[in-house]
Amino acid sequence: MASAQLKQILAGIDLFAGLSPAAIAQIAESGSNFRSGPGSNVITEGAKDSGLRVVLQGSASVVIGGEERGQIGVGDYVGELSMIDGAPRSATITAGPDGVETFALSPMAFMPLVRGDGDIAAALLKTLVARLRKVEAAQHS
């Protein structure tokens, strides 16, 4: 995938909303692209590996505790929580019928970016707080 396409997809996800093109470029340069064939596991529930995966091409299914929870496609991402806290994977992600290409960003690559760029840290905090508020609102309704 072309670098410009990768940056466009990364800039479009809420996790990196509002980041400068320079910050997006830093993130893009800090990760790697992976291609997974049809039916292969991209992430396995309970695994101790960690890191963000952003779908660049294709699709994948999300399975938690043996129950399918839906599909993800271009621009969707998983693993942001394990990238931050290092906890085991909470879902299995399996490549769809055409396979899937993902951008992977490890904690070892991401944490120095967070420490070195306040805008990246602030964007991450805003997204996580928004999610927490959504969960709290759902519990009170």
PDB file of all heavy atoms in Angstrom, residues 2-17:
ATOM      1  N   ALA A   2       0.485   2.213  -0.761  1.00  0.00           N
ATOM      2  CA  ALA A   2       1.251   3.461  -0.861  1.00  0.00           C
ATOM      3  C   ALA A   2       1.231   4.200   0.468  1.00  0.00           C
ATOM      4  O   ALA A   2       0.251   4.154   1.213  1.00  0.00           O
ATOM      5  CB  ALA A   2       0.676   4.333  -1.965  1.00  0.00           C
ATOM      6  N   SER A   3       2.317   4.884   0.728  1.00  0.00           N
ATOM      7  CA  SER A   3       2.470   5.634   1.976  1.00  0.00           C
ATOM      8  C   SER A   3       1.353   6.665   2.150  1.00  0.00           C
ATOM      9  O   SER A   3       0.844   6.849   3.246  1.00  0.00           O
ATOM     10  CB  SER A   3       3.844   6.313   1.982  1.00  0.00           C
ATOM     11  OG  SER A   3       3.984   7.122   3.106  1.00  0.00           O
ATOM     12  N   ALA A   4       0.955   7.328   1.069  1.00  0.00           N
ATOM     13  CA  ALA A   4      -0.096   8.348   1.155  1.00  0.00           C
ATOM     14  C   ALA A   4      -1.421   7.728   1.568  1.00  0.00           C
ATOM     15  O   ALA A   4      -2.161   8.304   2.376  1.00  0.00           O
ATOM     16  CB  ALA A   4      -0.239   9.077  -0.176  1.00  0.00           C
ATOM     17  N   GLN A   5      -1.730   6.535   1.037  1.00  0.00           N
ATOM     18  CA  GLN A   5      -2.967   5.836   1.410  1.00  0.00           C
ATOM     19  C   GLN A   5      -2.943   5.453   2.882  1.00  0.00           C
ATOM     20  O   GLN A   5      -3.937   5.612   3.585  1.00  0.00           O
ATOM     21  CB  GLN A   5      -3.150   4.567   0.576  1.00  0.00           C
ATOM     22  CG  GLN A   5      -3.661   4.794  -0.823  1.00  0.00           C
ATOM     23  CD  GLN A   5      -3.799   3.458  -1.529  1.00  0.00           C
ATOM     24  OE1 GLN A   5      -2.809   2.787  -1.792  1.00  0.00           O
ATOM     25  NE2 GLN A   5      -5.024   3.073  -1.820  1.00  0.00           N
ATOM     26  N   LEU A   6      -1.814   4.926   3.340  1.00  0.00           N
ATOM     27  CA  LEU A   6      -1.668   4.540   4.741  1.00  0.00           C
ATOM     28  C   LEU A   6      -1.899   5.749   5.642  1.00  0.00           C
ATOM     29  O   LEU A   6      -2.679   5.679   6.605  1.00  0.00           O
ATOM     30  CB  LEU A   6      -0.283   3.946   5.004  1.00  0.00           C
ATOM     31  CG  LEU A   6       0.077   3.686   6.464  1.00  0.00           C
ATOM     32  CD1 LEU A   6      -0.890   2.712   7.112  1.00  0.00           C
ATOM     33  CD2 LEU A   6       1.505   3.186   6.581  1.00  0.00           C
ATOM     34  N   LYS A   7      -1.273   6.856   5.327  1.00  0.00           N
ATOM     35  CA  LYS A   7      -1.427   8.066   6.148  1.00  0.00           C
ATOM     36  C   LYS A   7      -2.867   8.554   6.152  1.00  0.00           C
ATOM     37  O   LYS A   7      -3.380   8.990   7.185  1.00  0.00           O
ATOM     38  CB  LYS A   7      -0.487   9.159   5.649  1.00  0.00           C
ATOM     39  CG  LYS A   7       0.974   8.849   5.926  1.00  0.00           C
ATOM     40  CD  LYS A   7       1.878   9.893   5.305  1.00  0.00           C
ATOM     41  CE  LYS A   7       3.325   9.456   5.355  1.00  0.00           C
ATOM     42  NZ  LYS A   7       4.193  10.336   4.580  1.00  0.00           N
ATOM     43  N   GLN A   8      -3.534   8.441   5.002  1.00  0.00           N
ATOM     44  CA  GLN A   8      -4.931   8.869   4.916  1.00  0.00           C
ATOM     45  C   GLN A   8      -5.815   8.002   5.817  1.00  0.00           C
ATOM     46  O   GLN A   8      -6.678   8.516   6.529  1.00  0.00           O
ATOM     47  CB  GLN A   8      -5.406   8.800   3.465  1.00  0.00           C
ATOM     48  CG  GLN A   8      -6.816   9.309   3.264  1.00  0.00           C
ATOM     49  CD  GLN A   8      -7.247   9.285   1.810  1.00  0.00           C
ATOM     50  OE1 GLN A   8      -6.529   8.807   0.933  1.00  0.00           O
ATOM     51  NE2 GLN A   8      -8.428   9.804   1.540  1.00  0.00           N
ATOM     52  N   ILE A   9      -5.601   6.699   5.804  1.00  0.00           N
ATOM     53  CA  ILE A   9      -6.390   5.794   6.656  1.00  0.00           C
ATOM     54  C   ILE A   9      -6.098   6.075   8.128  1.00  0.00           C
ATOM     55  O   ILE A   9      -7.026   6.183   8.946  1.00  0.00           O
ATOM     56  CB  ILE A   9      -6.125   4.314   6.297  1.00  0.00           C
ATOM     57  CG1 ILE A   9      -6.717   4.009   4.913  1.00  0.00           C
ATOM     58  CG2 ILE A   9      -6.718   3.379   7.353  1.00  0.00           C
ATOM     59  CD1 ILE A   9      -6.346   2.658   4.351  1.00  0.00           C
ATOM     60  N   LEU A  10      -4.817   6.223   8.485  1.00  0.00           N
ATOM     61  CA  LEU A  10      -4.469   6.500   9.887  1.00  0.00           C
ATOM     62  C   LEU A  10      -5.070   7.820  10.354  1.00  0.00           C
ATOM     63  O   LEU A  10      -5.576   7.920  11.474  1.00  0.00           O
ATOM     64  CB  LEU A  10      -2.952   6.511  10.072  1.00  0.00           C
ATOM     65  CG  LEU A  10      -2.240   5.171   9.899  1.00  0.00           C
ATOM     66  CD1 LEU A  10      -0.733   5.352  10.036  1.00  0.00           C
ATOM     67  CD2 LEU A  10      -2.755   4.129  10.867  1.00  0.00           C
ATOM     68  N   ALA A  11      -5.037   8.840   9.508  1.00  0.00           N
ATOM     69  CA  ALA A  11      -5.581  10.152   9.878  1.00  0.00           C
ATOM     70  C   ALA A  11      -7.095  10.101  10.063  1.00  0.00           C
ATOM     71  O   ALA A  11      -7.660  10.929  10.781  1.00  0.00           O
ATOM     72  CB  ALA A  11      -5.219  11.184   8.818  1.00  0.00           C
ATOM     73  N   GLY A  12      -7.750   9.109   9.445  1.00  0.00           N
ATOM     74  CA  GLY A  12      -9.202   9.012   9.509  1.00  0.00           C
ATOM     75  C   GLY A  12      -9.757   8.264  10.700  1.00  0.00           C
ATOM     76  O   GLY A  12     -10.966   8.264  10.917  1.00  0.00           O
ATOM     77  N   ILE A  13      -8.897   7.626  11.505  1.00  0.00           N
ATOM     78  CA  ILE A  13      -9.432   6.891  12.652  1.00  0.00           C
ATOM     79  C   ILE A  13      -9.504   7.798  13.880  1.00  0.00           C
ATOM     80  O   ILE A  13      -8.671   8.685  14.050  1.00  0.00           O
ATOM     81  CB  ILE A  13      -8.647   5.584  12.940  1.00  0.00           C
ATOM     82  CG1 ILE A  13      -7.222   5.861  13.392  1.00  0.00           C
ATOM     83  CG2 ILE A  13      -8.657   4.667  11.722  1.00  0.00           C
ATOM     84  CD1 ILE A  13      -6.468   4.596  13.820  1.00  0.00           C
ATOM     85  N   ASP A  14     -10.514   7.572  14.709  1.00  0.00           N
ATOM     86  CA  ASP A  14     -10.729   8.463  15.857  1.00  0.00           C
ATOM     87  C   ASP A  14      -9.563   8.482  16.835  1.00  0.00           C
ATOM     88  O   ASP A  14      -9.317   9.490  17.490  1.00  0.00           O
ATOM     89  CB  ASP A  14     -12.040   8.131  16.579  1.00  0.00           C
ATOM     90  CG  ASP A  14     -12.086   6.738  17.186  1.00  0.00           C
ATOM     91  OD1 ASP A  14     -11.148   5.930  16.986  1.00  0.00           O
ATOM     92  OD2 ASP A  14     -13.077   6.434  17.878  1.00  0.00           O
ATOM     93  N   LEU A  15      -8.839   7.409  16.895  1.00  0.00           N
ATOM     94  CA  LEU A  15      -7.701   7.328  17.815  1.00  0.00           C
ATOM     95  C   LEU A  15      -6.659   8.405  17.518  1.00  0.00           C
ATOM     96  O   LEU A  15      -5.988   8.892  18.410  1.00  0.00           O
ATOM     97  CB  LEU A  15      -7.069   5.937  17.701  1.00  0.00           C
ATOM     98  CG  LEU A  15      -6.123   5.483  18.791  1.00  0.00           C
ATOM     99  CD1 LEU A  15      -6.820   5.438  20.141  1.00  0.00           C
ATOM    100  CD2 LEU A  15      -5.564   4.111  18.452  1.00  0.00           C
ATOM    101  N   PHE A  16      -6.544   8.771  16.250  1.00  0.00           N
ATOM    102  CA  PHE A  16      -5.545   9.767  15.832  1.00  0.00           C
ATOM    103  C   PHE A  16      -6.190  11.051  15.320  1.00  0.00           C
ATOM    104  O   PHE A  16      -5.546  11.834  14.620  1.00  0.00           O
ATOM    105  CB  PHE A  16      -4.633   9.169  14.762  1.00  0.00           C
ATOM    106  CG  PHE A  16      -3.913   7.918  15.201  1.00  0.00           C
ATOM    107  CD1 PHE A  16      -3.824   6.827  14.359  1.00  0.00           C
ATOM    108  CD2 PHE A  16      -3.333   7.818  16.458  1.00  0.00           C
ATOM    109  CE1 PHE A  16      -3.161   5.663  14.745  1.00  0.00           C
ATOM    110  CE2 PHE A  16      -2.678   6.661  16.864  1.00  0.00           C
ATOM    111  CZ  PHE A  16      -2.592   5.588  16.004  1.00  0.00           C
ATOM    112  N   ALA A  17      -7.451  11.281  15.659  1.00  0.00           N
ATOM    113  CA  ALA A  17      -8.185  12.447  15.175  1.00  0.00           C
ATOM    114  C   ALA A  17      -7.469  13.745  15.549  1.00  0.00           C
ATOM    115  O   ALA A  17      -7.016  13.926  16.669  1.00  0.00           O
ATOM    116  CB  ALA A  17      -9.594  12.451  15.744  1.00  0.00           C
TER     117      ALA A  17
END
